[in-house]
Amino acid sequence: MTGITPAQWVQKELLAGRCLQPVREQAKAYAPANIALSKYWGKREPDFNLPLTGSISISLADHGTHTQLQVIDKPEHEVYLNGARQGADTGFVRQVKAWLALFLPASISLRIDTRNTIPTAAGLASSASGYAALALACNDLCDWHLDYTSLSALARLGSGSASRSLWHGFVKWQAGEADNGHDSVAYALPARWPQLRVGILTVSSAVKAVSSREGMGRTVQTSGLFKQWPAQAKGDMAIIEQAIMDHDFTGLGQTAEQNAMSMHATMQAAWPPLVYWQPESVAAMHQVWGLRQQGVEVYLTMDAGPNLKLLFQAANTATLLQHFPTLEVIQPFPANHS
Ligand code: 2P0
């Protein structure tokens, strides 16, 4: 144990010598959502959101979160999500306030306007792009000039997967070893893959009953199958990183799909069991496997929710749209991104 709290670490180390107050009235930032190809599932420490293993993701370009901050003359922060004021007692607002309190004096209040460009129903309008955009906006508001690695650590304190949402393209979050998490940060992998596509298949907009944070904790504590997960996660991550470097789509897709299915197996062996899948999810999985048998190279991955994310290459876009007319096709490497 470090013996220090996340707030102490942020103020005394990460932001040492920097201003802990806004220096301008307003700031705004954008961060993309990300989909893990090799998943983060299980923490070694919950207060600093430190993972048991590393993970690799692909960012979703213009699908993410725009955040606007404004200093207000009010006793409390005001949080808006997609234009709607959020109640002070919601988990979302409590977590955002706790994150701001890591560095901001209680005398400062902000209006936080967060807008997602991904359908909330897809379970993607997650904390990842939200905390990454918030960290970027605070960096500007307080004039910290932090590098993205430091912002990755700060975003992680809001939500683990947010550490990966500072960059576009492929991103690797290394688990790190330090108790205070200074080395548990992400970085961009030096690879572009313009032909790669991610398809969001929203099969159910049912609100999930168990948050990923709670589900992760329950799985670590009660699932017998979780024992094998860290070793598999490490192996999968190495294979996926190599497949990205080699542009080996088969290696990437197969490993990502098996990694996701294995993560879900650990959840299903938890107690009480955790099954994020809905009947429509399973039907869509069979459709994906059927297409693959017909020679269409498409793979699936899933997170802590009922919807599928499909991995395929540009040449198969029309075929996939034929079979999944509602598929939202995302180009992670658009021509205008470097
Ligand atoms: C991931 N997920 O790697 C994995 C796969 C869900 C399944 O990261 O507790 O919201 O805030 O660190 O980041 C979702 O977990 O959890 C997640 P916290 P987070 O994308």
Side-chain angles (χ1 to χ4, degrees), residues 36 39-40 43 127 159-161 164 212-213 216 263 303:
K39 308 288 187 189
Y40 150 51
K43 302 183 195 203
S127 43
S159 192
S161 49
R164 302 185 307 237
S212 31
R213 182 166 295 189
M216 207 182 287
M263 176 185 73
D303 295 296

Side-chain angles (χ1 to χ4, degrees), residues 60 105 148 180 217:
L60 299 185
Y148 273 33
N180 65 16

Side-chain angles (χ1 to χ4, degrees), residues 104-150:
L104 212 58
S107 56
I108 306 286
S109 294
L110 301 177
R111 176 188 160 119
I112 300 134
D113 230 306
T114 178
R115 283 174 191 275
N116 295 313
T117 55
I118 29 179
T120 308
L124 278 172
S126 70
S127 43
S129 50
Y131 280 105
L134 193 53
L136 283 164
C138 288
N139 186 45
D140 188 27
L141 192 76
C142 302
D143 215 21
W144 291 329
H145 296 279
L146 283 180
D147 57 30
Y148 273 33
T149 308
S150 302

Side-chain angles (χ1 to χ4, degrees), residues 34-41 43 46 49-50 55-57 95 126-128 131 156 158-162 164 173 208 212-214 216 263-264 267 302-305:
N34 74 77
I35 301 292
L37 299 167
S38 107
K39 308 288 187 189
Y40 150 51
W41 196 246
K43 302 183 195 203
N49 279 336
L50 298 177
S55 53
I56 293 180
S57 60
Q95 281 187 21
S126 70
S127 43
Y131 280 105
R156 167 179 43 75
S159 192
S161 49
R164 302 185 307 237
W173 173 18
K208 58 184 173 186
S212 31
R213 182 166 295 189
E214 188 185 336
M216 207 182 287
M263 176 185 73
H264 280 272
M267 300 178 196
M302 291 182 73
D303 295 296

Side-chain angles (χ1 to χ4, degrees), residues 10-132:
V10 168
Q11 292 172 29
K12 292 184 179 156
E13 298 193 31
L14 188 78
L15 297 176
R18 289 179 163 87
C19 187
L20 299 179
Q21 303 232 3
V23 300
R24 46 182 66 93
E25 286 299 306
Q26 51 189 31
K28 59 182 179 181
Y30 170 78
N34 74 77
I35 301 292
L37 299 167
S38 107
K39 308 288 187 189
Y40 150 51
W41 196 246
K43 302 183 195 203
R44 65 175 198 276
E45 204 286 324
D47 294 340
F48 285 79
N49 279 336
L50 298 177
L52 274 164
T53 69
S55 53
I56 293 180
S57 60
I58 179 78
S59 287
L60 299 185
D62 58 352
H63 288 62
T65 302
H66 292 273
T67 293
Q68 207 159 351
L69 302 178
Q70 167 99 42
V71 179
I72 53 172
D73 190 14
K74 300 266 175 71
E76 291 207 341
H77 300 307
E78 293 181 353
V79 182
Y80 290 78
L81 178 59
N82 297 330
R85 174 90 187 261
Q86 303 294 297
D89 56 343
T90 60
F92 173 65
V93 171
R94 269 189 270 119
Q95 281 187 21
V96 168
K97 284 182 177 172
W99 186 86
L100 287 169
L102 291 171
F103 54 87
L104 212 58
S107 56
I108 306 286
S109 294
L110 301 177
R111 176 188 160 119
I112 300 134
D113 230 306
T114 178
R115 283 174 191 275
N116 295 313
T117 55
I118 29 179
T120 308
L124 278 172
S126 70
S127 43
S129 50
Y131 280 105

Side-chain angles (χ1 to χ4, degrees), residues 166-246:
L166 273 306
W167 295 268
H168 287 285
F170 296 109
V171 179
K172 180 175 175 178
W173 173 18
Q174 60 187 22
E177 291 175 357
D179 286 343
N180 65 16
H182 74 81
D183 54 354
S184 186
V185 291
Y187 57 89
L189 291 176
R192 281 178 56 78
W193 197 328
Q195 301 307 310
L196 186 70
R197 297 291 180 271
V198 177
I200 308 293
L201 190 59
T202 305
V203 298
S204 164
S205 53
V207 176
K208 58 184 173 186
V210 180
S211 71
S212 31
R213 182 166 295 189
E214 188 185 336
M216 207 182 287
R218 187 191 299 178
T219 306
V220 174
Q221 280 161 25
T222 67
S223 170
L225 294 189
F226 188 77
K227 289 176 188 66
Q228 62 80 41
W229 170 257
Q232 183 184 342
K234 281 179 201 156
D236 288 348
M237 190 169 72
I239 294 169
I240 285 175
E241 185 170 359
Q242 193 59 50
I244 288 169
M245 295 306 160
D246 296 345

